[in-house]
């Protein structure tokens, strides 16, 4: 934490490399969470770019940020959800956001986007959830935000977050393939 | 249902899976350039805290512009571009790769007409090979392409199953800047990626750069009759935790630089039916060898800014031979400055230009629609928790009806029925004045999110006929709620014919 404060102070004193040193360790998690939420890598990159600009401005205008890592994760999640809402609005001007599943546009589908060197059945299952449940799972388990923080990001009540988290767990549990269930049971 | 132990393991696997995803090199590059980008658009006077947030709204839009440009390019690949990519010294690209690249029709067009005032150069620094090519200097912009190969790139590259290559987080980073302008602290936009050389199969890093310059900077530079454009290449070596810096020079003949064609239009477009936008003026059309620019101004002191890119029917230029020049950059001016002396407007960039085509006699500007966003609140109302509902509020000639309200956790929640006569469902931002946003003893958690989006709610068109505004705010007896139009669609549907031969 002290290191974070030193880097923020170096930013304020005009050290242009300091900001990158501050955010570089956080880029991966912020970007990957955004990809998982948005299921579209261009928009995910856009969300993190917006968070980076806002973070730098906050530092330069003297904002007191006690825990930059947690604050930035929260900020990046907010900006990912901003874009999710904007896209949902574009997809259906009349549709209700909460019921509007976001569609991939010119990008590869999530299954292709998120394929990596080793397959993860669990990740595959999470990505098959609709955004209401997927976003809660990603923010809670991957970004490790609190229920209160997720309520802020998603602009909903804490009770709704808890309810969605509960439902998402049940859905994942129900669709977890036998191989993964076995793996989990062995733990 | 998973038990606690299962859940912990489940969380670990999810984190491991997602953490294994690579970060795009373009995002890493963007993160490096954030301080420079911020400096570029910094404004001296920002009178209210709220203005700072408005600036970010602009930044959001600006980032979106880059995406639009990229996606447009991906769809539009010029065959001549493929031929010229092959001529970049030291590198060859497979056709399949070329088809994925941003076409940059304007550069293709200039080169196909033999306009290439800057020589491409390639230079070796130890194992790092750097190429600078496709350099074009206009009256207010410098564009160029860089290609880099190195052992470090080869060692740190990995390819995903979808075929996209990335550098891992331990790869060296490369910074390229132009020394001759602004002491090398240029603010550049860049786009690119990792590709494979068709012949050697070696990976290389290719980026297209665009730097905004002031016309005075360009004139001052040319007046020195330079024969070289100087670049600095800085390599941060992760393994050795050190940085190396090199210089490269690109030869050129400043007397061969083609002058931009300036066409003053000064045409006023009257707009009817909108409560704020009454007219806008199409100013100067600038045709450069690579792109076409248009200045648009709105009323001096106007409390709004416009965005042309990103609407459902983006504007474009069509020449009399049927060639279309799509709008791909919308640089909105003075987006958060406000006052009677502030001139508002947009600098629009259309892809490519008819600069070398003497057969083109006229252009038609198709200005279809814009999004309007207010800089400062366009209206406000007071609201007491517990007051009798429904309550009707007038805004911009529309009736909004508050049908429900309560305070929950750290939010004021309002359910607001939209005006049924507003088919566009005007976007509105609801906000609490910043001075009311200080946390109190009774609201210890008000600042728990670090002030992110405190005091306002972004427009969520989440129900057919209602806004649901969840405003992060302290619990008060009486609230003042400010309203801003946000991304409200305004139809223009205007065609303007420009005679190039007059």
């Amino acid at each position: 934490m002290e290191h974070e404060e030193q880097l923020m102070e170096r930013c304020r004193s005009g050290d242009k490399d300091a900001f990158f040193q501050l955010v570089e360790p956080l880029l991966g998690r912020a970007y990957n969470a955004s990809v998982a939420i948005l299921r579209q890598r261009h928009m995910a990159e856009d969300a993190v770019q917006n968070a980076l600009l806002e973070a730098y401005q906050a530092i330069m205008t003297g904002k007191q940020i006690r825990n930059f890592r947690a604050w930035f994760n929260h900020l990046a999640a907010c900006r990912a959800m901003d874009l999710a809402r904007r896209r949902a609005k574009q997809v259906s001007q009349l549709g209700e956001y909460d019921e509007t599943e976001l569609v991939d546009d010119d990008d590869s589908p999530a299954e292709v986007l998120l394929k990596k060197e080793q397959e993860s059945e669990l990740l595959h299952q999470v990505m098959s959830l609709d955004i209401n449940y997927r976003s809660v799972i990603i923010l809670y388990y991957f970004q490790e935000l609190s229920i209160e923080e997720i309520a802020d990001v998603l602009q909903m009540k804490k009770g709704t977050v808890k309810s969605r988290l509960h439902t998402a767990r049940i859905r994942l549990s129900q669709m977890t393939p036998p191989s993964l269930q076995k793996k989990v049971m062995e733990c | 249902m998973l038990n606690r132990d299962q859940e912990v393991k489940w969380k670990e696997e999810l984190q491991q899976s997602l953490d294994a995803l690579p970060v795009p090199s373009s995002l890493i590059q963007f993160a490096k350039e954030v301080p420079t980008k911020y400096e570029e658009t910094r404004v001296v006077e920002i009178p209210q805290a709220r203005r700072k947030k408005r600036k970010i709204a602009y930044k959001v839009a600006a980032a979106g512009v880059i995406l639009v440009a990229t996606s447009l390019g991906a769809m539009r690949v010029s065959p001549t571009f493929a031929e010229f990519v092959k001529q970049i010294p030291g590198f060859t690209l497979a056709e399949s790769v070329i088809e994925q690249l941003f076409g940059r029709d304007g550069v293709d067009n200039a080169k196909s007409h033999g306009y290439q005032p800057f020589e491409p150069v390639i230079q070796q620094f130890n194992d790092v090979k750097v190429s600078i090519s496709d350099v074009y200097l206009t009256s207010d912009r410098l564009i160029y392409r860089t290609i880099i190969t190195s052992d470090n790139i080869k060692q740190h590259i990995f390819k995903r199953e979808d075929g996209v290559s990335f550098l891992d987080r331990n790869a060296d980073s490369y910074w390229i800047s132009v020394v001759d302008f602004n002491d090398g602290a240029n603010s550049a936009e860049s786009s690119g990626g990792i590709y494979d050389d068709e012949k050697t199969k070696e990976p290389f890093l290719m980026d297209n750069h665009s730097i905004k310059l002031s016309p005075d900077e360009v004139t001052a530079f040319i007046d020195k009759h330079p024969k070289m454009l100087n670049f600095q290449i800085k390599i941060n070596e992760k393994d050795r935790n050190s940085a190396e810096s090199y210089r490269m020079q690109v030869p050129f003949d400043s007397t061969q630089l083609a002058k931009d064609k300036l066409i003053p239009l000064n045409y006023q477009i009257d707009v009817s039916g909108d409560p704020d936008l009454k007219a806008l003026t199409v100013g100067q059309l600038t045709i450069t060898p690579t792109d076409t620019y248009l200045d648009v101004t709105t009323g001096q002191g106007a409390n709004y800014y416009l965005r042309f890119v990103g609407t459902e029917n983006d504007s474009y230029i069509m020449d009399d031979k049927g060639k279309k020049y799509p709008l791909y950059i919308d640089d909105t001016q003075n987006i958060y400055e406000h006052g009677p002396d502030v001139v508002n407007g947009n600098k629009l960039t259309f892809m490519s230009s008819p600069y070398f085509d003497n057969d083109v006699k006229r252009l038609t500007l198709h200005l279809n629609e814009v999004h309007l966003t207010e800089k400062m609140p366009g209206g406000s109302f007071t609201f007491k928790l517990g007051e009798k509902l429904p309550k009707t509020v007038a805004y911009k000639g529309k009736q909004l009806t508050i049908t429900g309200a309560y305070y929950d956790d750290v939010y004021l929640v309002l359910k607001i029925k939209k005006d049924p006569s507003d088919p566009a469902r005007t976007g509105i931002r609801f906000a609490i004045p910043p001075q009311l946003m200080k946390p109190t003893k009774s609201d210890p958690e008000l600042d728990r999110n670090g002030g992110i989006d405190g005091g306002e709610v972004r427009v969520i068109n989440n129900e057919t006929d209602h806004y649901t505004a969840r405003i992060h705010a302290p619990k008060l007896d009486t609230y003042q709620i400010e309203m801003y139009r946000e991304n409200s669609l305004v139809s223009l549907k205007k065609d303007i014919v420009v005679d190039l031969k007059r």
Side-chain angles (χ1 to χ4, degrees), chain A residues 97-156:
Chain A
Y97 160 67
D98 286 349
E99 295 174 356
T100 305
E101 174 54 297
L102 306 179
V103 297
D104 296 306
D105 46 32
D106 60 340
D107 234 320
S108 307
E111 289 75 14
V112 176
L113 272 177
L114 296 174
K115 269 184 179 173
K116 53 198 181 318
E117 288 68 32
Q118 73 254 24
E119 276 288 348
S120 166
E121 287 177 301
L122 176 60
L123 180 58
H124 188 80
Q125 300 297 344
V126 170
M127 293 307 296
S128 71
L129 294 171
D130 72 44
I131 189 170
N132 295 319
Y133 300 104
R134 187 173 73 244
S135 56
V136 171
I137 290 288
I138 295 297
L139 295 177
Y140 188 74
Y141 289 109
F142 182 60
Q143 283 288 54
E144 299 183 282
L145 300 188
S146 66
I147 296 292
E148 288 81 4
E149 287 172 322
I150 296 171
D152 286 333
V153 171
L154 301 180
Q155 299 179 3
M156 60 179 58

Side-chain angles (χ1 to χ4, degrees), chain A residues 16-17 19-20 23-24 27-29 31-32 36 41-42 45-46 48-50 52-54 56-57 60-61 63 66 71 74-75 78-79 82 85-86 89 93-97 106 112-117 120 122-123 126 137-138 140-142 144 148 151-152 155-158 166 169-170 172-173 180 183-185 187, chain B residues 1-2 6-7 9-11 13-15 17-24 26-28 30-32 34-39 52 55-56 59-60 63-64 67 70-71 158-162 164 169 175 185 234 238 312 406 408-411 427 445 447-453 457-464 470 472:
Chain A
K16 290 188 175 179
D17 291 338
F19 182 71
F20 184 65
V23 299
E24 186 187 16
L27 286 178
R29 187 151 285 201
Y31 173 72
N32 295 338
R41 56 200 157 104
H42 282 316
E45 193 168 344
D46 202 12
V48 181
Q49 285 182 358
N50 293 337
L52 287 167
L53 287 165
E54 195 165 341
Y56 186 74
Q57 186 185 42
M60 297 304 285
T61 52
K63 181 176 178 60
R66 287 186 291 276
W71 183 84
H74 189 149
L75 178 64
C78 282
R79 296 303 159 251
D82 284 347
R85 293 185 190 101
R86 186 181 304 172
K89 186 178 174 182
Q93 285 288 334
L94 298 178
E96 184 171 348
Y97 160 67
D106 60 340
V112 176
L113 272 177
L114 296 174
K115 269 184 179 173
K116 53 198 181 318
E117 288 68 32
S120 166
L122 176 60
L123 180 58
V126 170
I137 290 288
I138 295 297
Y140 188 74
Y141 289 109
F142 182 60
E144 299 183 282
E148 288 81 4
D152 286 333
Q155 299 179 3
M156 60 179 58
K157 295 180 183 178
K158 285 187 286 189
H166 179 76
R169 285 180 186 130
I170 291 174
L172 284 169
S173 178
L180 185 61
K183 198 159 92 180
V184 172
M185 293 301 288
C187 296
Chain B
M1 188 70 181
L2 301 172
Q6 290 168 341
E7 197 175 345
K9 280 293 175 189
W10 192 81
K11 174 180 170 180
E13 179 174 346
L14 185 62
Q15 291 189 342
S17 302
L18 277 171
D19 277 337
L21 295 173
V23 179
S26 54
L27 180 59
I28 293 171
F30 183 91
K32 291 173 184 173
V34 163
T36 306
K37 290 176 186 296
Y38 179 80
E39 290 296 324
K52 296 170 186 172
K55 180 178 178 183
I56 292 303
K59 288 293 190 181
V60 170
L67 292 179
T70 306
S71 59
F158 61 93
K159 190 167 283 189
R160 292 196 326 206
E161 289 185 17
D162 60 0
V164 179
R169 295 168 201 183
W175 304 64
K234 187 176 173 187
K238 286 278 176 58
E312 291 180 7
Y406 58 92
D408 175 62
D409 191 11
V410 290
Y411 294 97
E445 288 197 322
D447 195 37
R448 71 185 179 206
N449 69 345
I452 299 167
D453 297 340
V457 63
R458 287 161 187 257
V459 175
I460 308 169
N461 196 22
N462 56 353
E463 293 179 48
T464 304
R470 288 175 57 80
H472 195 222

Side-chain angles (χ1 to χ4, degrees), chain B residues 69-82:
Chain B
T70 306
S71 59
L72 274 175
M75 289 185 288
R76 304 174 69 253
V77 177
S78 161
T80 54
F81 176 70

Side-chain angles (χ1 to χ4, degrees), chain B residues 104-122:
Chain B
R104 295 209 319 166
D105 278 8
V107 171
D108 295 349
N109 185 50
K111 290 167 80 172
S112 68
H113 287 87
Y115 180 61
Q116 211 169 352
F118 291 80
E119 296 177 20
V121 295
I122 187 166

Side-chain angles (χ1 to χ4, degrees), chain B residues 73-96:
Chain B
M75 289 185 288
R76 304 174 69 253
V77 177
S78 161
T80 54
F81 176 70
E83 292 305 311
F84 281 116
V85 161
K86 292 176 182 174
Q87 297 172 19
I88 297 169
F91 300 97
T92 53
L93 280 174
E95 291 291 340
S96 59

Side-chain angles (χ1 to χ4, degrees), chain B residues 212-228:
Chain B
K212 285 183 198 167
L213 302 168
S214 72
D216 289 344
E217 274 184 290
V218 175
T219 302
F221 174 65
I222 297 300
D223 284 349
K224 296 176 192 168
H225 306 293
K227 297 186 183 308
M228 297 286 179

